[in-house]
Structures are given as C-alpha cells and as structure tokens.
Amino acid sequence: MNILVTGGAGYIASHTCVALQEAGHNVIIADNLCNSKVESIDGIKKITNKEITFYEIDVTDEEAVDIIFSNHDIDGVIHFAGLKAIDESVRNPLEYYYNNIVSTMVLTKACQKYGVNRFIFSSSATVYGDNKVPFEETMILLPTTNPYGETKAMSERILTDIANANPAFSVSILRYFNPVGAHESGLIGETPSGIPNNLMPYVTQVAKGRLEKLCMYGNDYPTVDGTGIRDYIHVVDLAEGHVAALENLTEGVHVYNLGTGKGTSVLELVKAFEEANGIKIPYEVVERRPGDIALCYADASKAKQELGWTAKRDLIAMCRDAWRFEKNHKE
Ligand code: NAD
Ligand code: UDP
C-alpha cells in the first residue's frame, strides 16, 4: 500500500516508517519539521535502503495536502503529526487546538475527496484520565487536565462521527502508553528539544552527563515503592502495532490500546537502566508534578485478539536501545 505518514520525521512515526517499509509498503512523509529534523528521514533510508518521498508541508494547509493526494495514489493515512508538550499546551492552548484538530479535519476532508478509506490516528492513554487501571478501550473517557489531552479526545470524536456517517471509512484509533527506546541500529530515536519532560530521555541525558541528576516526582503515591507507575513500550513494538492495525483494518471505528499491559515504577525503570547499561543514575526525590496520576497501564488484550499484535521487547531492551541512540547522537 501507499501510505501517507504525517509527522513522519518524528520519533514514533520514523520507527513506523521503517516497519511499514519492512512490511513492503511505500511511504510518503508529510512533516513541517517543527519538532524534528530531516536527518531522521536519512536515518530511515539508511536502515531500510529504500526511497521515501518527503513533503515539507504543514498538514493544516489544505492546498499543500491536496497536492500530495493528487500526486499519489494513496491507500491509507497514518496521522502522527501533532504538538505534544503538555505544559506548552496549557500555556498556548489555541496553538494546540488549531494544530492538532485542524490537521485531523484537513486530512479527513482530503480522504473523502480522494476516496481514501483507511485512516489511523495517534491517540494517547491520557484520554483515560485518572480511571481505574488497567485501562480498557470501553471505559468512559475522563476529562484530561490539559489542552493536549483534549485535542486527542476531540480528534477521536471527530473521526468517530465521520466514520459513522461514511460506512466505507475505516478508522483505527491507537492509544499509546509510554513509548521509549530507539531502533536497534541507533540511527533513529527520540530527540527532545531543550530539557526533556519525559522520564526516559531525562535519564539518558543524566547518563550522558548533560543533566546532573534525575528529579523523581514524588515517592508517596499508593504504588509498590511510592513512585508513579507507567506502561513503557518499546517504540519498535509500537511501530509494529501500526502495521498490524493497518493490515487488519476493517470498516468502522476501532480503538486499541498499544501498551504492554505491565506497569513499571520510576524507581524500577531507573534500576533497569542502570542494570542494562552499567551506568549509575543519581536522583533526588522532589514534589509530585502537578497533573500526574499514580497509575497508568493498559489492558492490552484487544489488540492481541483482533490484530494479533503484542509487545515483545522488555524493559532492558528499551533502556539499552534508548542509551545506544543517546550515546551516538550528536546535537
Ligand atoms: P514528535 O514531535 O517526535 O513527532 C511529531 C511530528 O509531527 C514532528 O516531526 C513534527 O515536526 C510534526 N508536526 C507537528 N505538527 C505538524 C503539522 N501541523 N504539519 C506537519 N507536521 C507536523 O512526537 P511523537 O512522540 O513521535 O508523537 C507522534 C504522535 O503520537 C503525536 O500525535 C503525539 O501526540 C502522539 N503520542 C505521543 C506519545 C509520546 O509519549 N511520545 C504518547 C501518546 C501519543
Ligand atoms: N518522572 C519523573 N521525573 C522526570 C520525568 C518524569 O519522576 O523528570 C515520572 C513522572 O512523574 C511519571 C513517570 O516518570 O510518574 C513518567 O513520566 P513521563 O513524563 O515520561 O510520562 P507521562 O507522565 O506523560 O505518562
């Protein structure tokens, strides 16, 4: 299939482009590089040794998107492009609502015009809010505490309404848990700008000596050791989940959790990183981070049953691959 991958130069999408090409699909990338660099596309090419068509465009731009659909016989769209920094979304809600929602509308409109009926959307476990774990796809979504989370819930709703009104339109909504790690080649990975917000990139930068120590946000949660529990998933497993979703897509709207189903505490992740890489990570326990929840992990059984997909790579592989990329990566 010819697959338009929006945000294709980004962290999760670049790994998905590799998985798509390895599964025999052609990839067309649309990315405005607002949070990525063209080098990641070079990385994809090096890994797969295949050509990629790249459009440096903003996917909220209807005319630019229309050109791509008219130039290529597109079979499906995987819509990753989006802004994702939670704190920035609180400071700048309009930018987040505009970028993340208008992009979904522009792309679905082009799909309708050109008769493209396969659409896969990057959603997030954040839409569950502080529900009871493990999170199941059928749960009532709880309001999130930030505009970013709302853009995901709203995009899910928009896609559901469009699919309900157009029975041929097939939508897969993928709710990611906590993607970490990198491709084992070390050629592509996560490159946050500035000081990382997320745990794993923070840990790898402490390991590199760029940051002095990890600030552990609270150790008084009702969890095994008091630190927050998350469902970390290797980004290559996540990428493979997209290929499974694409190849098993049927009419209607389908929602899948892409996680491992296993919760890991902050302390456990730090220990696993130290064990995997033989590097000590100094840390200090500080106040809880506002908006954080204690527990977040998936019930991952639906994706296994319906897509035949499960995450295979363990926490040690996640830590090893994250560090390999960070170590080799030059800013
Ligand atoms: P990323 O920032 O690395 O990738 C997003 C890409 O989209 C970037 O390359 C950016 O340049 C591009 N982009 C953003 N707005 C665009 C626009 N209007 N037009 C064209 N390109 C645009 O982020 P990621 O972590 O790879 O996330 C990919 C998707 O998955 C996002 O939608 C994100 O919200 C979602 N998601 C991420 C996580 C996570 O923890 N990383 C968790 C759940 C969901
Ligand atoms: N965390 C931490 N220090 C950091 C970043 C994160 O202790 O510098 C904790 C955070 O409180 C949460 C877990 O690590 O319990 C995962 O946080 P991340 O931001 O990576 O993911 P999210 O909270 O969005 O699921």
Side-chain angles (χ1 to χ4, degrees), residues 138-311:
T138 49
M139 281 175 160
I140 306 272
L141 303 185
L142 297 180
T144 60
T145 51
N146 57 79
Y148 166 72
E150 291 305 313
T151 68
K152 292 299 175 190
M154 285 181 196
S155 289
E156 287 198 8
R157 175 62 200 263
I158 291 168
L159 290 168
T160 304
D161 288 345
I162 295 172
N164 287 340
N166 301 276
F169 196 54
S170 310
V171 177
S172 194
I173 290 169
L174 305 180
R175 294 183 182 148
Y176 310 154
F177 282 70
N178 288 59
V180 295
H183 191 266
E184 61 173 11
S185 63
L187 289 168
I188 51 174
E190 191 170 12
T191 54
S193 50
I195 296 177
N197 289 312
N198 296 115
L199 179 61
M200 184 67 96
Y202 203 104
V203 167
T204 59
Q205 295 203 12
V206 171
K208 209 173 185 178
R210 288 189 65 197
L211 295 167
E212 189 195 333
K213 60 179 178 220
L214 173 68
C215 295
M216 222 175 255
Y217 296 139
N219 65 353
D220 57 351
Y221 286 105
T223 61
V224 272
D225 54 27
T227 64
I229 300 273
R230 296 291 182 272
D231 185 341
Y232 299 96
I233 173 169
H234 196 296
V235 67
V236 175
D237 278 324
L238 187 62
E240 289 170 2
H242 289 74
V243 178
L246 177 72
E247 293 181 349
N248 292 284
L249 190 57
T250 54
E251 283 170 12
V253 186
H254 310 274
V255 182
Y256 297 103
N257 286 339
L258 296 186
T260 63
K262 203 171 156 280
T264 301
S265 76
V266 179
L267 264 174
E268 285 167 345
L269 186 135
V270 168
K271 295 284 159 250
F273 188 92
E274 292 181 339
E275 186 192 324
N277 300 310
I279 301 171
K280 197 100 196 102
I281 302 296
Y283 67 83
E284 181 190 357
V285 177
V286 299
E287 288 291 289
R288 290 182 179 192
R289 182 171 64 179
D292 269 0
I293 56 174
L295 295 150
C296 171
Y297 56 90
D299 177 329
S301 54
K302 188 179 175 202
K304 183 176 183 188
Q305 266 158 28
E306 295 189 11
L307 306 176
W309 170 90
T310 43

Side-chain angles (χ1 to χ4, degrees), residues 23 30 42 52 71 118 123 170 183 226 276 286 314 318:
D42 300 334
I52 290 185
N71 283 354
R118 293 182 189 87
S123 190
S170 310
H183 191 266
V286 299
D314 64 11
M318 298 180 211

Side-chain angles (χ1 to χ4, degrees), residues 75-100:
D75 297 296
V77 175
I78 310 186
H79 180 30
F80 290 96
L83 301 175
K84 62 164 186 176
I86 290 174
D87 54 338
E88 192 183 56
S89 81
V90 174
R91 288 196 306 274
N92 209 344
L94 181 57
E95 192 188 352
Y96 271 67
Y97 283 114
Y98 190 87
N99 193 71
N100 291 4

Side-chain angles (χ1 to χ4, degrees), residues 6-13 30-37 57-60 79-84 99-100 103 121-125 148 152 175-179 190 198:
T6 75
Y11 172 46
I12 305 169
D31 198 308
N32 63 2
L33 304 179
C34 69
N35 197 38
S36 53
K37 298 213 172 81
I57 62 143
D58 190 313
V59 292
T60 62
H79 180 30
F80 290 96
L83 301 175
K84 62 164 186 176
N99 193 71
N100 291 4
S103 60
F121 177 65
S122 297
S123 190
S124 166
Y148 166 72
K152 292 299 175 190
R175 294 183 182 148
Y176 310 154
F177 282 70
N178 288 59
E190 191 170 12
N198 296 115

